[in-house]
Amino acid sequence: MAKAIRKITLSSSRDIPFNKLVLSQANVRRVKAGVSIEELAESIVRRGLIQSLHVRPVVDADGQETGMYEVPAGGRRYRALELLIRQKRLAKTVPVPCVVSDADSGILIDEVSLAENIERAPLHPLDQFRAFLALRDKGMSEEAIAAAFFVPVQVVKQRLRLAAVSPALLDIYAEDGMTLEMLMAFTVCEDHERQEQVWNAIRNSWQKDPYHIRRLLTETTVRACDKRAVFVDIEQYEAAGGIVLRDLFQSDDGGWLQDVGLLDRLVTEKLKAAADEIAGEGWKWVEVAVNLPYGATHGLRELVGTIVDPTEEDQAARDTLQAEYNLLSDEYDGIEELPDAVDQRFAELEAAMEALDNRPVSFEPAEFAIAGAFVSINADGSLLVDRGYVRPEDEVPVARGEGDANEVYGDANDPAAPASQRVVITIGGQPAQIEEEEEDGIKPLPERLLVELTAHRTLALRDAVAQHPEVAMTMLLHKLVRDTFQRRSGTGCLEASIRHVFFPGQADDLSDSPPAKAVAERHQAWMHEIPDDDEALWGWLAGLDEASRMALLAHCVSYGVNALHEKPNPYGGSGVSEHGLKLRLAQADRLARATGLDMAEAGWRPTAGNYLGRITKARILQAVAEGKGQPAADRIALLKKGEMASEAETLLADTGWLPEPLRLPAVEVGGEETAAKDGITAMGIEGTIDDSDEAIDTPHTIAAA
């Protein structure tokens, strides 16, 4: 006969006046840090007492019940009720729902208290996210939810954003298939299909870091700090229907603009409006581009205008700003770390004074008829207008002959002269390249990429030469000695006339590189000092001190530096021969050693746009292995080409790694020929230098450098 299972009996519950309850000394919760009684009290006011207290009768020495009850489980609720009574919001005798256990129970009261605290199961975060979402769907605002649960509104927004992630990913998170930090990263994109695509791409990968997820989700967007976004203004973009992706869990610099086509259209419209306004000033032409290429003014004559004097209102405003700036400077003199508000005010004052100091320039009416202006966007997102450039074809020709000085071709004031050229807006960079199937293994770098890389190096070499006058002098003397005494073929690295070498191929970031800015600033500084008149210029040069003469010489010499790779012309004629290219690159290497040029210190960094996205996967892995180590290369080996390039950009950002064409070659015995062979090998060009034709022993030159 089966033995009957003994049934358990649950403790009874009843309402007990609060003044008959006392907190048990056996309650295991002793540490009060992090326990908020006030919030629980407000919750009781809003919702009532959700959970009963567990109590036991208090007995005297004879084992008789005294009518009082001690509370071993529910101490925080007891204290919250006690607080409400002290605040006169509850009566002392208010009935409290209690579960009453037997006084003679064999279970220790300490065990009851411990079990009540450790057996509670915390709510899974996903359940909280979904609960917040349900409350909002039923009519509660985000502010009301925050007030009801005593959390900031930002926390509610974050929880709701997490609940809005793809249901498939939420299920994976619920099964511990991803971390909370990874789930947070997916919230930067609201497209569930895209979220799932990214997860499927990385689920079996070593690379599942949150920053990698964010990068993949935003790779087709534009950062809000991009100069195009700053130029248009985020509010105008959103007013036009654009969507901004935001990261609620970490700083995102304003987020990501999702509709790139809309952004480009707004940029074009705003640039066109600015061009129309500039054209209304009377210029013959206005050239517009989002990114003007480096050397856009090459071959153009720059007009020298007259700076317009400030008006009385402008001067008064400038004096007011300066007075406030001086007052703040005196007040916070000697303080190393300024308060944020004060630091921001200093920046505002400096920007306002700089705007007033940048006075407009006026030109003669006749100059407007033959000159034009460039309209572009500064790196900080502001409008950049550069006026007063004359193209060679617009220059007024000389007189027909002697004694007829008044007869001139193409007079700008002649009614029969051709009409002014209409404004041409050209916005856009290089055409998109189609990614072709690539073969395994290391192949020579593409010709276009070599041209762009060596353009970076040439510009950096110019900057380095300009900062080393003694090297510039050695370089110039070396060129002159070769031309005068040796009469060898090939111009070498220095194009000495001096002839400004233009870059036929260049990346979009060349104009914003540190060497480009340094060269431009130095050129403008000299240009403001050099007289226009030829006779006055001779006297000015003669009166310069030696240091200034050397610095000016170095600056002029630097413009002739040509370290560009270009495809040799095997048939002679125009272009560079294979031998001439080898000689040029060899001399460029020697010049880099002499100036101590380090392209990493000069500001060049490998990015997906300027290098990594344009080489084979094998070369990307080789670069990461060299710069970050083989384990790092192995972690990204299974990624697709675009993802691999993006990850490699992050891994190599601060390593100082450089591709072969930008590296400083090691010094080897053998003079220029050995250096040339090293440089040609790095470029992937076969062949050697003919020692009988161009062997140059330059120990004194190298020692001087």
Side-chain angles (χ1 to χ4, degrees):
M1 183 175 178
K3 188 176 180 180
I5 300 176
R6 183 180 178 182
K7 302 295 191 295
I8 64 172
T9 303
L10 299 178
S11 300
S12 61
S13 62
R14 66 175 184 267
D15 292 344
I16 300 175
F18 181 81
N19 60 352
K20 297 297 183 180
L21 302 176
V22 293
L23 193 60
S24 175
Q25 296 303 310
N27 192 304
V28 297
R29 188 185 290 275
R30 303 293 175 84
V31 179
K32 304 301 186 296
V35 178
S36 174
I37 303 299
E38 291 78 8
E39 289 184 0
L40 180 56
E42 293 301 324
S43 177
I44 293 173
V45 171
R46 178 182 177 85
R47 306 176 184 92
L49 188 63
I50 298 176
Q51 292 178 284
S52 301
L53 277 62
H54 188 97
V55 300
R56 269 190 183 179
V58 177
V59 297
D60 57 17
D62 297 329
Q64 300 298 317
E65 294 185 6
T66 62
M68 299 295 293
Y69 298 84
E70 59 180 334
V71 183
R76 194 163 73 98
R77 279 161 276 159
Y78 175 88
R79 291 189 179 90
L81 293 170
E82 187 179 44
L83 175 61
L84 292 173
I85 290 172
R86 289 201 305 268
Q87 295 176 347
K88 308 300 184 182
R89 302 167 80 178
L90 275 179
K92 292 181 180 180
T93 58
V94 62
V96 180
C98 299
V99 175
V100 185
S101 61
D102 294 336
D104 56 353
S105 172
I107 303 299
L108 294 175
I109 194 170
D110 308 72
E111 181 182 341
V112 173
S113 177
L114 181 60
E116 194 266 348
N117 281 282
I118 68 174
E119 289 181 355
R120 65 179 65 177
L123 189 67
H124 192 282
L126 182 56
D127 292 329
Q128 184 191 110
F129 308 158
R130 288 170 171 166
F132 277 4
L133 182 60
L135 291 176
R136 189 184 65 176
D137 291 344
K138 292 180 180 180
M140 288 186 68
S141 66
E142 295 172 353
E143 291 74 15
I145 296 173
F149 292 94
F150 313 104
V151 295
V153 176
Q154 179 71 3
V155 171
V156 176
K157 292 181 182 292
Q158 291 174 344
R159 301 298 184 263
L160 292 173
R161 179 69 70 85
L162 287 166
V165 173
S166 166
L169 300 188
L170 292 179
D171 291 341
I172 294 172
Y173 169 63
E175 298 298 327
D176 295 330
M178 70 171 67
T179 65
L180 178 60
E181 289 73 19
M182 294 165 64
L183 185 67
M184 291 176 180
F186 279 103
T187 64
V188 301
C189 175
E190 297 179 355
D191 186 345
H192 288 181
E193 183 178 354
R194 179 58 181 159
Q195 292 173 354
E196 294 170 11
Q197 288 175 351
V198 170
W199 172 251
N200 291 331
I202 68 169
R203 63 187 308 168
N204 297 320
S205 170
W206 289 92
Q207 188 63 279
K208 296 181 182 178
D209 295 328
Y211 82 88
H212 180 55
I213 295 173
R214 290 185 177 90
R215 172 169 296 175
L216 294 179
L217 289 169
T218 59
E219 63 183 356
T220 59
T221 62
V222 174
R223 294 298 297 262
C225 56
D226 185 277
K227 68 178 185 179
R228 291 173 293 168
V230 177
F231 177 68
V232 168
D233 188 72
I234 300 298
E235 293 183 358
Q236 295 184 15
Y237 166 79
E238 291 180 316
I243 298 175
V244 179
L245 303 178
R246 296 305 305 268
D247 191 339
L248 296 180
F249 298 93
Q250 67 176 28
S251 175
D252 59 8
D253 292 328
W256 298 267
L257 280 65
Q258 192 171 11
D259 195 337
V260 182
L262 173 62
L263 174 64
D264 288 338
R265 177 172 66 80
L266 295 175
V267 169
T268 301
E269 291 174 354
K270 191 169 182 179
L271 281 174
K272 283 183 177 179
D276 291 340
E277 183 177 347
I278 302 302
E281 297 175 3
W283 298 106
K284 183 176 182 181
W285 53 266
V286 177
E287 184 173 333
V288 183
V290 176
N291 296 296
L292 285 174
Y294 180 80
T297 60
H298 173 67
L300 306 184
R301 177 169 63 91
E302 184 176 1
L303 300 177
V304 179
T306 304
I307 298 178
V308 179
D309 293 332
T311 63
E312 294 182 0
E313 292 78 5
D314 290 341
Q315 189 60 50
R318 179 65 169 78
D319 294 341
T320 302
L321 293 170
Q322 186 66 56
E324 183 180 354
Y325 186 90
N326 295 340
L327 185 63
L328 285 176
S329 299
D330 294 340
E331 183 178 353
Y332 291 94
D333 185 27
I335 298 179
E336 295 184 1
E337 187 171 353
L338 296 174
D340 292 341
V342 176
D343 189 44
Q344 180 179 356
R345 184 55 182 163
F346 268 118
E348 293 172 352
L349 291 172
E350 290 171 355
M353 288 189 292
E354 183 179 0
L356 289 172
D357 290 340
N358 291 332
R359 304 300 306 160
V361 178
S362 64
F363 299 90
E364 296 296 329
E367 293 175 327
F368 280 94
I370 62 172
F374 293 96
V375 177
S376 184
I377 304 176
N378 259 321
D380 61 0
S382 60
L383 180 67
L384 175 63
V385 180
D386 202 2
R387 299 172 174 86
Y389 289 91
V390 182
R391 291 169 173 166
E393 61 268 25
D394 294 330
E395 294 282 7
V396 178
V398 297
R400 291 182 184 271
E402 295 182 4
D404 193 10
N406 294 325
E407 189 173 359
V408 179
Y409 290 108
D411 190 346
N413 298 318
D414 185 355
S420 297
Q421 179 175 323
R422 295 182 61 83
V423 176
V424 178
I425 298 178
T426 55
I427 297 180
Q430 303 175 8
Q433 297 181 353
I434 301 176
E435 184 175 338
E436 301 177 352
E437 291 293 329
E438 58 187 35
E439 299 176 358
D440 294 332
I442 304 298
K443 298 190 298 184
L445 293 175
E447 288 287 332
R448 170 76 184 192
L449 181 57
L450 276 174
V451 172
E452 292 184 3
L453 291 175
T454 52
H456 269 287
R457 191 190 190 205
T458 299
L459 195 57
L461 275 173
R462 290 179 181 179
D463 187 38
V465 167
Q467 297 181 55
H468 294 76
E470 71 286 355
V471 176
M473 179 64 79
T474 303
M475 182 185 184
L476 180 59
L477 288 175
H478 176 266
K479 177 65 171 63
L480 296 178
V481 168
R482 281 173 52 86
D483 290 347
T484 304
F485 297 96
Q486 299 172 344
R487 300 190 180 280
R488 304 294 178 88
S489 62
T491 58
C493 175
L494 178 61
E495 302 278 356
S497 291
I498 298 295
R499 182 176 66 87
H500 188 160
V501 181
F502 188 68
F503 303 140
Q506 55 180 273
D508 288 341
D509 59 349
L510 186 63
S511 295
D512 292 329
S513 65
K517 294 178 180 178
V519 170
E521 291 174 1
R522 186 165 44 247
H523 189 78
Q524 287 297 322
W526 279 116
M527 198 154 95
H528 290 155
E529 295 187 28
I530 295 175
D532 291 331
D533 182 73
D534 184 72
E535 192 68 27
L537 175 60
W538 179 270
W540 180 79
L541 289 172
L544 285 178
D545 58 79
E546 190 62 23
S548 298
R549 288 165 60 87
M550 291 290 287
L552 181 56
L553 172 65
H555 177 69
C556 295
V557 168
S558 72
Y559 272 92
V561 173
N562 184 359
L564 286 172
H565 169 88
E566 58 182 285
K567 190 173 183 178
N569 185 352
Y571 306 107
S574 61
V576 65
S577 65
E578 184 175 352
H579 165 74
L581 179 61
K582 294 174 183 176
L583 180 64
R584 175 192 297 176
L585 299 179
Q587 291 189 1
D589 290 341
R590 183 180 61 208
L591 188 58
R593 288 194 299 270
T595 59
L597 173 65
D598 185 329
M599 288 300 297
E601 293 181 0
W604 193 89
R605 298 289 185 273
T607 66
N610 69 9
Y611 183 76
L612 298 168
R614 305 169 62 188
I615 58 177
T616 63
K617 294 174 67 173
R619 275 195 177 273
I620 297 176
L621 295 175
Q622 181 189 49
V624 173
E626 292 176 355
K628 202 68 176 179
Q630 190 60 45
D634 293 340
R635 286 199 300 271
I636 66 173
L638 299 180
L639 298 180
K640 294 182 179 180
K641 173 74 171 291
E643 298 170 0
M644 181 184 291
S646 297
E647 285 307 309
E649 177 180 337
T650 301
L651 292 171
L652 296 174
D654 299 319
T655 62
W657 180 89
L658 298 169
E660 294 94 333
L662 301 186
R663 295 177 185 172
L664 183 66
V667 179
E668 296 186 13
V669 178
E672 190 170 329
E673 295 79 5
T674 303
K677 294 173 185 177
D678 294 341
I680 298 305
T681 302
M683 293 292 186
I685 303 173
E686 302 296 334
T688 58
I689 294 180
D690 185 356
D691 294 326
S692 63
D693 183 32
E694 288 291 340
I696 302 173
D697 189 11
T698 56
H700 300 291
T701 304
I702 295 176

